[in-house]
Amino acid sequence: MAKITVKVNGKVYSHEVEPRLLLAHYLREVLSLTGTHIGCDTSSCGSCTIHLDGQSVKSCSMLAVQADGCEITTIEGLAPSGSELHPLQEGFKECHGLQCGFCTTGMIMSAADFLQSNPDPSEEQIRHALEGNFCRCTGYHNIVKSVQWAAQKMKEDKAVTA
Amino acid sequence: MISYEFDYTRPDTVEAALDLLDDDSKILAGGHSLIPALKLRLSAPGKLIDIARIPSLKGIKMDGNELVIGAAATHSDILESDLIKQHLPMFAEGAALIGDPMIRHKGTLGGSLAHADPSADWPAMVLAAEGTVVVQSKTGTRSISSDDFFTGFYSTALESGEIITEIRFPIPAEGTKMTYQKFVQPASRFAIVGCAALRHPDGTARVAFTGVADAPFRDTAVENAVGDWSEEALEAAVALTAQGMEFNVDHYASETYRHHLARVYCRKALKALLY
């Protein structure tokens, strides 16, 4: 067993874990944060995407012990404090960016990382940024529209704050 | 999928990692090749030694007339580096084609070279850029030319008890052109065929392939045939692509199709180097 301490969605947790425990399993089964999904379990589909120290990573292909000492954000902690939803979550709702919804949390976590450094993306850049996320309903068109909607909303929110 | 049980350690220095390294252990860096193999139970080490956070293995820097990339630099670190954009732009171009953003945030250059997947992107680029792989063991360090590093299917000149610490590249002369062209497998995003090519200002070339055979290789027949870079010379060079190689055959590409793709991507790469 190995002791890990991680900060997840702003809250610090310490646990004794087996070294072979995957980060995705730690989040889902130990912390009960089931918004992070496990789809392909082979690092292809991206539904397990979370943020590790601010960067998007696939939590099915990482060990929980590798995250020791790191800060993690999952879909449950994405909305800014005081808001019910993140602009991306609103965007997916507004633009019908989900059908079955299984890939949605991974799509949103990938897009959130992408929009941090690309606040004004082209459609092509959005499609390129979401290459690591598969939607088996093939609803990509509305997913891209949802990200565009969120980018616009985030720009407007920023203008209001400024 | 759950792997077999193993122990995990995260030493702070390369020396401490080398002390722990034995035949029952595996080095863990980004883990994006090793962890999938562990989950499939294709690999069952007793112990993982995590070197991803060792400070001396991170970073990209100039050292005299060489550019030095730490073994634990991630694909994303390389993609975003201004030094890389300035001196080895092919690496930024190629890194952007590896996997997807999440994989690029974790996967490392050293890990990719040590794993030596026959369809990985870095080996072709490192060969074309004349990289030297620096490895450390308890008895000291040694440098292995990329020409000698890849020895076969998932096989390298790395010996047990050695860890890759950095990869060094001569800084290309002003006017050098370079490119990496890849035909991507759309689900795994590995290269079905990848061609890295570099043109020195004197007209000489280095051309290397990945995905084509059981190991990445430099194609000296193509390099020697580019001549004056005229259209005729380039077509003659392209026709020599991967001659005499034993081709990878899988359900994505037959031998004939892969050879065809190798020629197509060789042509694309060489044409991208015209002034």
Side-chain angles (χ1 to χ4, degrees):
Chain A
M1 299 294 271
K3 187 172 181 200
I4 61 164
T5 302
V6 288
K7 192 172 185 181
V8 182
N9 301 333
K11 198 172 159 194
V12 177
Y13 299 89
S14 283
H15 285 102
E16 291 277 337
V17 298
E18 272 193 275
R20 64 178 171 169
L21 182 71
L22 296 172
L23 182 56
H25 289 150
Y26 175 73
L27 294 170
R28 288 178 56 82
E29 288 161 23
V30 180
L31 303 188
S32 300
L33 294 169
T34 52
T36 299
H37 294 168
I38 300 175
C40 69
D41 205 2
T42 59
S43 81
S44 297
C45 82
S47 60
C48 65
T49 301
I50 57 148
H51 294 179
L52 183 79
D53 288 340
Q55 285 191 320
S56 58
V57 298
K58 292 179 175 173
S59 62
C60 83
S61 295
M62 265 194 77
L63 304 168
V65 285
Q66 285 177 286
D68 178 34
C70 297
E71 279 196 35
I72 290 169
T73 306
T74 68
I75 189 76
E76 290 90 345
L78 188 65
S81 56
S83 310
E84 197 182 333
L85 296 176
H86 183 277
L88 274 161
Q89 291 169 309
E90 281 184 76
F92 273 68
K93 197 173 147 193
E94 286 297 320
C95 302
H96 193 56
L98 58 155
Q99 290 175 43
C100 85
F102 194 88
C103 72
T104 308
T105 57
M107 287 283 180
I108 289 179
M109 295 311 286
S110 288
D113 182 15
F114 169 67
L115 290 180
Q116 282 177 43
S117 42
N118 299 275
D120 197 12
S122 66
E123 180 186 332
E124 194 191 341
Q125 285 173 317
I126 294 171
R127 290 184 184 273
H128 191 56
L130 295 179
E131 270 171 359
N133 295 83
F134 295 169
C135 168
R136 291 300 73 172
C137 308
T138 68
Y140 295 105
H141 193 64
N142 281 359
I143 289 170
V144 172
K145 279 208 261 180
S146 306
V147 177
Q148 287 171 317
W149 189 96
Q152 185 61 34
K153 175 89 191 314
M154 286 160 82
K155 257 196 303 191
E156 286 163 13
D157 288 354
K158 211 172 163 189
V160 171
T161 335
Chain B
M1 293 176 286
I2 313 288
S3 67
Y4 291 114
E5 286 184 57
F6 49 77
D7 292 328
Y8 170 90
T9 53
R10 193 169 61 237
D12 295 326
T13 63
V14 175
E15 291 69 27
L18 287 167
D19 280 338
L20 295 162
L21 188 57
D22 59 23
D23 288 344
D24 191 35
S25 52
K26 277 270 190 193
I27 296 290
L28 172 68
H32 274 40
S33 299
L34 179 58
I35 291 172
L38 294 175
K39 287 168 68 178
L40 291 168
R41 302 198 167 195
L42 296 171
S43 177
K47 179 172 60 191
L48 296 190
I49 304 168
D50 186 349
I51 61 166
R53 297 193 212 176
I54 295 179
S56 67
L57 299 179
K58 304 289 287 180
I60 298 164
K61 61 177 194 233
M62 304 278 271
D63 183 14
N65 55 2
E66 288 184 305
L67 190 69
V68 184
I69 305 181
T74 64
H75 312 321
S76 165
D77 293 337
I78 296 169
L79 174 58
E80 284 165 20
S81 158
D82 289 333
L83 279 176
I84 292 290
K85 282 178 199 147
Q86 192 185 342
H87 297 292
L88 284 173
M90 163 175 73
F91 280 28
E93 182 190 11
L97 302 175
I98 298 173
D100 53 55
M102 293 81 98
I103 286 170
R104 295 196 287 269
H105 287 149
K106 290 302 292 178
T108 65
L109 175 57
S112 171
L113 298 182
H115 186 60
D117 188 298
S119 298
D121 299 293
W122 284 125
M125 290 186 269
V126 169
L127 279 166
E130 239 173 302
T132 298
V133 182
V134 181
V135 305
Q136 191 173 333
S137 68
K138 277 190 202 169
T139 54
T141 64
R142 67 181 180 117
S143 296
I144 310 168
S145 158
S146 50
D147 286 345
D148 304 322
F149 187 76
F150 303 102
T151 55
F153 188 64
Y154 288 100
S155 301
T156 69
L158 198 62
E159 287 179 12
S160 60
E162 288 181 330
I163 294 176
I164 302 177
T165 53
E166 61 189 25
I167 303 90
R168 305 180 76 92
F169 300 91
I171 294 188
E174 188 92 14
T176 304
K177 288 180 73 94
M178 59 184 87
T179 189
Y180 179 64
Q181 301 286 329
K182 169 184 183 180
F183 186 70
V184 67
Q185 204 288 328
S188 74
R189 312 206 79 81
F190 273 98
I192 294 178
V193 163
C195 178
L198 183 144
R199 177 186 185 175
H200 293 293
D202 66 3
T204 57
R206 281 179 75 97
V207 179
F209 288 94
T210 190
V212 175
D214 64 356
F217 63 95
R218 251 180 86 196
D219 200 326
T220 48
V222 172
E223 291 176 4
N224 293 334
V226 295
D228 61 357
W229 293 78
S230 63
E231 199 155 318
E232 299 73 40
L234 294 193
E235 277 313 309
V238 166
L240 295 171
T241 303
Q243 251 187 3
M245 295 304 296
E246 204 163 302
F247 287 85
N248 280 345
V249 175
D250 54 28
H251 56 284
Y252 305 127
S254 64
E255 173 171 345
T256 313
Y257 181 45
R258 211 169 223 113
H259 198 173
H260 169 74
L261 285 174
R263 285 189 289 254
V264 169
Y265 278 75
C266 182
R267 184 183 293 113
K268 273 171 96 104
L270 294 177
K271 292 215 162 159
L273 304 183
L274 294 174
Y275 289 108

